[in-house]
Amino acid sequence: MDDSTFLPYSRQHITQEDIDAVTEVLRSDWLTQGPAVPAFEDNLADYLGAREAVACSSGTAALHLAMLTLGLGPDDAVIVPSNTFVATANCACFMGADVLFADIDAATGLIDPAAVAALLEQDAEQKIKAIIPVHFAGQPADLPTLYDLANRHGAWLVDDACHALGAAYNDNGQRYAVGNNPHSDLTVFSFHPVKHIAMGEGGAVVTNHKDLADRLRLFRSHGIRRQEFADPEAAHSPDGIPNPWYYEMTDLGYNYRLTDLQAALGSSQLTRLRQSLTRRREIAAAYVDLLSRTFTDGLVQPLAVRPNIEHAYHLYVVSIAFERLGISRAAVMNRLRANGIGTQVHYIPVHLQPYYRGLETDNGRKLPQVETYYAGALSLPMYPELSFSDIKRVVSELEAALVSQRQPAYRS
Ligand SMILES: *Cc1c(COP(=O)(O)O)cnc(C)c1O
């Protein structure tokens, strides 16, 4: 297969403007901690209409910073959906907190608020201190319901929006952006190349709470502060002049800083976000149309879309009845790959990972919806540069892969 015609499940797009923006930083006095990082933070906050954006080195670092800022610890527990990337759950373990996996709605892949409510009800000791819903594939989870549940339990709500830059939802007739709404305390983004904007590695936490943003910045850089000192005497010379070299470490922080090189690339990419979201939605509409006309038997179905939301389509996931078709997903993926179509599975349920099975904090609870979902999930190519003929090729290759290997029973 000629590499130029291979369609991966996702890919970044780099323009000459992006290259120029990074080159400009290379020629400047700063490679890190210069003006490009705060400029990116302003651009991101402006895009979302949010008060504060704190950029950091990855989405995983952003999740960890969120947990540090909220002061999670070994006596606490955190609810996460099982259908996510492992980092969503890992950030709770970084703090020594317990992870409680919530089941999902198999039709959407999103955390099920009823499953969250059940976990909260069982939490007589009030150990649960945070809920981390994931806006899976770019579709907003039910934040108003989840925030209400969190609030009544005295827990924080941190939304993992690594798939959902540019997503929005309506609540009581009002439009809210993911990253700027009254239904979350902290919102986490990733700028890994497969996500909406690429930085190489990069992430951010967005919030409307100034005090939380200050603490995020503290933990981002070693827990070091250069003002509001605990020891004002040590900060000053006997003659009252501030000591120019002085700083204080008051908390145990990390080096989770972003570089100016990455931030410049991020700001340049952000200028194209609006148009790339429009294109992602057009591609999704084309998939819906082609899939419904090709698979009239319902054996291949897009994930359900909730009413009153604006989807950001990081991923395009379909649910395939592999078992009823009598075909293995591996065989279909391998055949598609051989024919130039990249696919992926999002995600292996995190509670089934050996690490989490070994922890036994979840008492081996069964999560039937996520296992049903996982059995059928396949992510098809989704990125703004896909053409309409690319999409047609994906659907016809998928049809060929399913037809060529299906059992005789299906053929009738
Ligand atoms: C990508 C991703 C992360 C982690 O982001 P990195 O930038 O790769 O560290 C966390 N959660 C979800 C849902 C993701 O997709």
Side-chain angles (χ1 to χ4, degrees):
M1 190 82 227
D2 173 0
D3 258 10
S4 65
T5 64
F6 187 80
L7 306 174
Y9 86 87
S10 176
R11 64 163 299 160
Q12 76 274 20
H13 181 55
I14 301 291
T15 65
Q16 187 59 46
E17 287 74 35
D18 293 340
I19 293 167
D20 292 345
V22 176
T23 309
E24 201 180 309
V25 174
L26 280 171
R27 294 187 201 286
S28 79
D29 294 337
W30 304 93
L31 294 186
T32 191
Q33 289 185 281
V37 171
F40 172 73
E41 292 181 331
D42 288 348
N43 292 336
L44 180 63
D46 285 352
Y47 184 91
L48 297 168
R51 188 162 165 198
E52 300 273 353
V54 178
C56 61
S57 53
S58 69
T60 305
L63 285 162
H64 191 189
L65 287 173
M67 296 294 103
L68 287 160
T69 295
L70 300 180
L72 271 284
D75 295 332
D76 302 330
V78 177
I79 297 178
V80 305
S82 182
N83 180 36
T84 185
F85 183 55
V86 293
T88 315
N90 293 353
C91 72
C93 296
F94 296 165
M95 312 301 296
D98 286 348
V99 176
L100 298 175
F101 289 103
D103 209 349
I104 62 165
D105 174 348
T108 60
L110 294 168
I111 193 167
D112 177 4
V116 172
L119 287 171
L120 291 171
E121 250 164 60
Q122 291 157 20
D123 182 36
E125 290 171 59
Q126 300 273 314
K127 282 183 61 148
I128 297 167
K129 295 288 161 44
I131 303 171
I132 316 182
V134 176
H135 305 300
F136 178 72
Q139 165 156 233
D142 185 355
L143 284 186
T145 301
L146 292 164
Y147 188 70
D148 186 48
L149 286 170
N151 233 1
R152 282 191 277 142
H153 202 76
W156 300 92
L157 193 137
V158 177
D159 51 333
D160 180 337
C162 290
H163 296 185
L165 182 58
Y169 59 93
N170 265 66
D171 182 51
N172 280 324
Q174 172 98 25
R175 180 187 181 276
Y176 294 109
V178 166
N180 177 24
N181 57 69
H183 309 119
S184 162
D185 298 298
L186 297 168
T187 303
V188 168
F189 293 102
S190 164
F191 309 118
H192 180 280
V194 300
K195 310 287 166 69
H196 291 83
I197 67 175
M199 279 190 186
E201 298 281 358
V205 186
V206 172
T207 181
N208 285 327
H209 303 291
K210 172 80 169 69
D211 52 330
L212 294 180
D214 290 343
R215 288 187 63 71
L216 289 163
R217 293 197 168 92
L218 187 67
F219 286 112
R220 174 176 65 178
S221 199
H222 309 285
I224 285 176
R225 59 178 81 219
R226 294 176 191 280
Q227 56 194 15
E228 291 172 35
F229 295 127
D231 186 353
E233 210 169 303
H236 293 84
S237 295
D239 53 7
I241 303 173
N243 290 331
W245 68 86
Y246 190 76
Y247 60 83
E248 275 179 359
M249 181 194 137
T250 54
D251 295 82
L252 186 60
Y254 295 77
N255 177 356
Y256 280 163
R257 294 188 304 264
L258 191 68
T259 67
D260 268 33
L261 294 166
Q262 294 163 307
L265 180 56
S267 285
S268 180
Q269 294 250 316
L270 201 51
T271 62
R272 296 197 304 279
L273 179 59
R274 230 172 276 274
Q275 83 191 54
S276 79
L277 284 165
T278 302
R279 183 63 197 145
R280 284 174 186 274
R281 288 168 186 147
E282 286 169 4
I283 292 166
Y287 268 132
V288 167
D289 178 47
L290 281 173
L291 289 167
S292 66
R293 286 196 278 126
T294 308
F295 301 101
T296 50
D297 46 21
L299 291 168
V300 176
Q301 284 192 319
L303 289 190
V305 177
R306 301 177 55 234
N308 302 317
I309 61 105
E310 292 170 38
H311 206 307
Y313 288 109
H314 159 54
L315 299 173
Y316 196 80
V317 179
V318 291
S319 176
I320 301 178
F322 292 106
E323 208 172 311
R324 271 160 69 203
L325 287 162
I327 313 173
S328 80
R329 177 162 48 191
V332 171
M333 289 178 76
N334 288 342
R335 186 190 152 115
L336 286 170
R337 168 156 291 274
N339 290 312
I341 313 290
T343 55
Q344 211 14 297
V345 176
H346 298 94
Y347 287 98
I348 302 166
V350 181
H351 77 287
L352 299 180
Q353 292 291 353
Y355 177 82
Y356 284 102
R357 282 199 234 186
L359 287 187
E360 285 182 22
T361 53
D362 221 9
N363 298 321
R365 270 186 323 111
K366 291 274 177 286
L367 303 177
Q369 294 297 316
V370 75
E371 295 197 30
T372 299
Y373 162 84
Y374 172 54
L378 193 69
S379 300
L380 304 180
M382 168 55 87
Y383 49 93
E385 290 66 47
L386 279 179
S387 69
F388 190 63
S389 68
D390 291 333
I391 302 161
K392 281 216 277 228
R393 208 181 112 207
V394 171
V395 174
S396 69
E397 288 291 352
L398 178 62
E399 185 187 23
L402 295 177
V403 165
S404 73
Q405 298 180 51
R406 71 193 175 186
Q407 298 294 303
Y410 176 68
R411 224 168 259 140
S412 61

